[in-house]
Amino acid sequence: MNMLQKSSDVNISSRSKLPTPDEIHSELPLSLDCVAQVIRHRQEVFDILDGKDPRKIIVVGPCSIHDHTSALEYASKLAKISSEVNDKLMLIMRVYFEKPRTTVGWKGLIYDPDMNDEYNIEKGIRLSRQLMLEIVDKGLPVATETLDPILVQYLVDAVAWTAIGARTTESQPHRQLASGLSMAVGFKNATDGNMQIAIDAVNTARRQHSFIGVDGNGEVSVFRTTGNKYGHIVLRGGQGPNYEAEYIAFLKVAMKKAGLPPQIVIDCSHANSGKRFDRQKKVFCNVVDQIVAGENAIVGMMLESHLCEGRQDIAVGRKPLANVSVTDGCIGWQETEELIRYAHSKL
């Protein structure tokens, strides 16, 4: 037998170790004041979901973060308007560092921070955590999409709200992980529009689970959870939009039948806008009208927004513009502010 033959790692070209989550946390710590702030923001979300707080959530920000300076500029603008509308709206900034791909494409700042396919993940982890800490320090709650079950350990202590994406809502590892997370988790309906998958995910995450993961020391461990009762559903459309009143009515019945409180966030982008960023306004205003008409099951909305509208392609050898999305198209800041103030005036 050829001793050079092997039965594992056949398609692995290289391997390198990462710093542990605890090492990164020690290097880039969340201050005690910010810890208290994150806990407070999580409780505010819980209270909104429970109906104890009459405000609505708006999760708003870039489809994905690719530039440090522009993200901080956006955060400063959002923090300012947040202080002006906080009596009716809780603004949570989208700080998304991981991008799930249907086929291939840029996977986000945490994976490929230099946008050159070198995948310097250690650099991406540090850049991402540093930026998140700076945004939290501005007084803003932050939202992420929980994609990689290991990478979540590097950032989760600073997160006020998180989502499980349409491609992973049916994933058992993600449902188990959500059952142990310390914040509210929004499960998106499947990409084909199937809502039952999201209902099943919320119910599954409310249960106790045991699963294998990596702890703060980087050691493989068995995690046992108590269950997360703050799972809820994010409607993002499927083959077509699903934000209108008839879909809400259907979902409310289905959730009650499953023994779940009807708590729904409407994603105004993705299939609900036909992947047209300029149609988010139509969706957003329709949802606001539903809330004004008495629809209490809708607890919030989500907008993809950047400093400037539109999107750009990533080109080899050319640094992308800092203030325009490199993934899904986004509305610009002016329209974002107009929509937030519109919701504030109507609610």
Side-chain angles (χ1 to χ4, degrees):
M1 178 178 176
N2 187 344
M3 298 302 294
L4 294 178
Q5 288 182 331
K6 58 180 183 178
S7 61
S8 64
D9 295 341
V10 174
N11 291 321
I12 301 297
S13 60
S14 68
R15 182 171 57 190
S16 59
K17 289 186 177 181
L18 286 173
T20 70
D22 283 353
E23 288 170 343
I24 294 295
H25 289 186
S26 295
E27 180 183 331
L28 298 167
L30 190 65
S31 71
L32 291 177
D33 286 344
C34 285
V35 169
Q37 174 186 298
V38 170
I39 293 172
R40 185 180 72 253
H41 285 150
R42 289 174 179 173
Q43 186 61 51
E44 289 176 14
V45 175
F46 297 159
D47 289 345
I48 291 171
L49 292 171
D50 285 337
K52 298 176 182 177
D53 185 335
R55 295 180 299 166
K56 300 298 178 183
I57 297 165
I58 300 182
V59 180
V60 56
C63 174
S64 59
I65 301 290
H66 74 279
D67 180 82
H68 190 111
T69 303
S70 66
L72 288 181
E73 181 182 351
Y74 187 99
S76 295
K77 290 178 180 290
L78 192 65
K80 181 178 183 298
I81 192 172
S82 177
S83 66
E84 299 172 17
V85 302
N86 193 51
D87 59 325
K88 297 180 182 178
L89 301 170
M90 181 181 185
L91 304 185
I92 306 176
M93 182 170 168
R94 284 176 58 106
V95 187
Y96 282 34
F97 297 126
E98 299 180 83
K99 294 304 299 178
R101 315 306 309 192
T102 301
T103 53
V104 294
W106 185 63
K107 294 180 181 180
L109 186 73
I110 203 165
Y111 289 96
D112 188 15
D114 298 311
M115 306 179 80
N116 59 2
D117 292 335
E118 290 187 2
Y119 292 93
N120 189 342
I121 295 177
E122 182 172 342
K123 178 180 179 180
I125 289 171
R126 286 191 169 92
L127 284 176
S128 298
R129 183 166 176 84
Q130 179 62 47
L131 176 56
M132 185 171 283
L133 295 183
E134 291 180 56
I135 292 173
V136 171
D137 196 49
K138 291 180 180 291
L140 280 173
V142 301
T144 62
E145 178 173 335
T146 297
L147 183 57
D148 188 284
I150 294 175
L151 288 177
V152 67
Q153 296 277 20
Y154 290 91
L155 304 172
V156 71
D157 58 322
V159 176
W161 181 92
T162 193
I164 303 295
R167 297 167 184 82
T168 45
T169 287
E170 199 170 7
S171 158
Q172 177 173 305
H174 287 83
R175 294 176 176 187
Q176 293 173 161
L177 177 63
S179 75
L181 291 176
S182 303
M183 72 291 295
V185 180
F187 288 90
K188 289 194 173 186
N189 65 255
T191 53
D192 64 359
N194 188 310
M195 297 183 196
Q196 187 60 46
I197 287 173
I199 292 172
D200 293 342
V202 172
N203 244 331
T204 302
R206 292 168 75 90
R207 305 297 198 271
Q208 297 178 1
H209 289 279
S210 297
F211 63 92
I212 297 170
V214 173
D215 68 9
N217 290 319
E219 296 180 347
V220 178
S221 306
V222 176
F223 292 82
R224 295 178 175 86
T225 74
T226 60
N228 188 340
K229 69 176 183 177
Y230 288 105
H232 52 283
I233 290 180
V234 180
L235 291 182
R236 49 88 72 198
Q239 300 300 325
N242 60 6
Y243 64 87
E244 294 174 322
E246 59 266 32
Y247 292 98
I248 306 302
F250 174 84
L251 182 55
K252 284 167 61 178
V253 171
M255 292 185 76
K256 289 177 181 177
K257 185 177 179 181
L260 297 173
Q263 301 163 338
I264 304 165
V265 172
I266 305 297
D267 179 354
C268 299
S269 185
H270 298 99
N272 272 336
S273 64
K275 297 186 179 180
R276 288 274 303 274
F277 72 87
D278 54 334
R279 293 179 181 170
Q280 290 189 77
K281 179 178 180 179
K282 176 185 175 183
V283 181
F284 187 88
C285 292
N286 178 285
V287 174
V288 170
D289 287 345
Q290 289 186 60
I291 295 171
V292 171
E295 184 49 83
N296 294 324
I298 299 176
V299 296
M301 298 83 85
M302 182 183 291
L303 288 167
E304 291 194 319
S305 153
H306 213 308
L307 294 173
C308 297
E309 68 175 27
R311 65 169 303 278
Q312 60 184 320
D313 290 325
I314 299 172
V316 177
R318 177 173 64 83
K319 185 177 180 179
L321 298 172
N323 53 6
V324 179
S325 174
V326 296
T327 44
D328 290 348
C330 295
I331 59 174
W333 176 255
Q334 181 177 340
E335 185 174 0
T336 302
E337 184 173 356
E338 289 172 356
L339 290 179
I340 290 171
R341 294 195 184 281
Y342 172 78
H344 184 258
S345 68
K346 293 279 285 186
L347 295 178

